């Protein structure tokens, strides 16, 4: 896949390197004169110096043939403009913009522009750590509405059927790790001491999950 990443800061650089590790073709757009030094000698992609919403710079980066565009600069305004140009003018199939302002992120998601708000994500993770410390939230989906939760089965579950923890539309046990081997549980699977559980949980149902697990509320 041919991907253009605008902005080679902490987020843009990590995205670019993840893509390169998977053998995708990556072009970086960055206006910083020190971008070359930040790329390092082992960087396998291309660097175009300039502004990611400049038509000439985008064409130089190969926007007409790009299959994905990531707007990950430090400026919300620049990211919005560049992402809209990539999607609406050059019709890039996959466009994602990083936005710091959660309100802007929500507005543009409603308009059909996929966005990632690091502010929202960070706040949600801090909230989960403070209020649900016994449960390790590995990942959130969408705007944080759904979480992937990892925890060791509490004693209150030992001997109970997995279906007693599943709540349609709210909580689902997606896998169990037992004796270092993972499997997908089915009706009739009992929880055992030492089980490591992975659950998909609606964020609004976290307190209900604590009740089901026999955990004390904070």
């Amino acid at each position: 896949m041919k991907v253009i990443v605008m902005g080679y800061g902490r987020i843009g650089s990590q995205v670019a390197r993840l893509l390169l590790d998977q053998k995708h073709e990556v072009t970086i757009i960055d206006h910083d004169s020190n971008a070359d030094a930040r790329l390092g000698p082992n960087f396998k992609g291309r660097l175009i110096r300039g502004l990611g919403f400049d038509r000439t710079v985008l064409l130089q980066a190969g926007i007409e043939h790009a299959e994905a565009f990531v707007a990950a600069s430090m400026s919300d305004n620049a990211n919005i403009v560049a992402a809209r140009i990539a999607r609406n003018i050059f019709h890039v199939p996959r466009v994602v913009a990083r936005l710091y302002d959660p309100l802007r992120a929500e507005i543009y998601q409603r308009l059909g522009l996929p966005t990632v708000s690091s502010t929202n994500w960070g706040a949600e993770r801090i909230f989960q750590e403070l209020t649900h410390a016994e449960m390790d939230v590995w990942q959130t989906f969408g705007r944080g509405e759904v979480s992937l939760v990892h925890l060791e089965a509490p004693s209150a579950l030992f001997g109970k059927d997995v279906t007693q923890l599943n709540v349609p539309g709210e909580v689902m046990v997606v896998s169990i790790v037992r004796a270092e081997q993972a499997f997908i549980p089915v009706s009739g699977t009992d929880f055992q001491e030492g089980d490591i559980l992975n659950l998909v949980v609606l964020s609004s149902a976290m307190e209900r999950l604590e009740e089901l697990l026999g955990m004390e509320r904070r």
Side-chain angles (χ1 to χ4, degrees):
M1 183 168 61
K2 296 181 179 180
V3 186
I4 296 174
V5 178
M6 183 190 87
Y8 199 72
R10 282 176 289 185
I11 295 295
S13 61
Q14 289 187 47
V15 171
R17 294 185 185 281
L18 287 170
L19 289 165
L20 288 169
D21 287 345
Q22 296 298 316
K23 310 302 181 185
H24 295 289
E25 184 179 324
V26 178
T27 298
I28 301 295
I29 298 176
D30 199 297
H31 64 86
D32 192 335
S33 58
N34 295 319
D36 282 319
R38 296 203 312 274
L39 291 175
N42 298 321
F43 185 76
K44 303 299 182 182
R46 295 173 60 217
L47 169 65
I48 304 298
R49 189 171 286 109
L51 297 173
F53 48 83
D54 184 302
R55 181 184 178 90
T56 301
V57 172
L58 288 169
L59 289 171
Q60 188 179 357
I63 190 73
E64 293 175 301
H65 305 288
E67 297 165 87
F69 183 90
V70 179
S73 78
M74 299 292 288
S75 167
D76 278 5
N77 289 334
N79 289 341
I80 289 170
V81 172
R84 296 188 71 184
I85 290 173
R87 188 187 66 172
N88 298 336
I89 295 179
F90 292 103
H91 307 293
V92 178
R94 301 178 184 180
V95 177
V96 179
R98 178 200 185 185
L99 299 180
Y100 289 90
D101 185 343
L103 180 58
R104 284 185 174 183
E106 184 175 352
I107 291 171
Y108 280 94
Q109 282 185 335
R110 290 175 179 174
L111 293 175
L113 178 63
T115 62
V116 175
S117 173
S118 53
T119 303
N120 257 355
W121 183 87
E124 180 66 27
R125 289 293 287 117
I126 291 171
F127 174 77
Q128 298 290 1
E129 288 294 332
L130 290 174
T131 59
H132 307 287
E134 299 88 348
M135 297 182 287
D136 185 7
V137 179
W138 275 14
Q139 188 174 354
T140 59
F141 303 95
R143 295 192 295 271
E145 300 90 346
V146 176
S147 299
L148 177 63
V149 175
H150 176 84
L151 76 156
E152 184 174 350
S155 58
L157 289 181
F158 296 168
K160 292 185 178 180
D161 190 288
V162 67
T163 56
Q164 292 183 253
L165 191 56
N166 289 337
V167 180
E170 294 187 357
V171 180
M172 177 176 291
V173 182
V174 293
S175 73
I176 296 176
V177 179
R178 180 177 295 164
E180 300 184 352
Q181 290 192 329
F183 64 94
I184 298 173
V186 297
S187 178
T189 299
D190 291 337
F191 294 112
Q192 297 181 13
E193 185 176 358
D195 282 353
I196 303 299
L197 314 182
N198 293 300
L199 307 93
V200 175
V201 185
L202 198 66
S203 293
S204 59
M206 292 293 280
E207 288 188 354
R208 183 169 186 182
L209 174 59
E210 288 183 341
E211 292 177 355
L212 293 169
L213 293 172
M215 293 178 174
E216 183 180 349
R217 284 193 185 182
R218 289 175 173 267

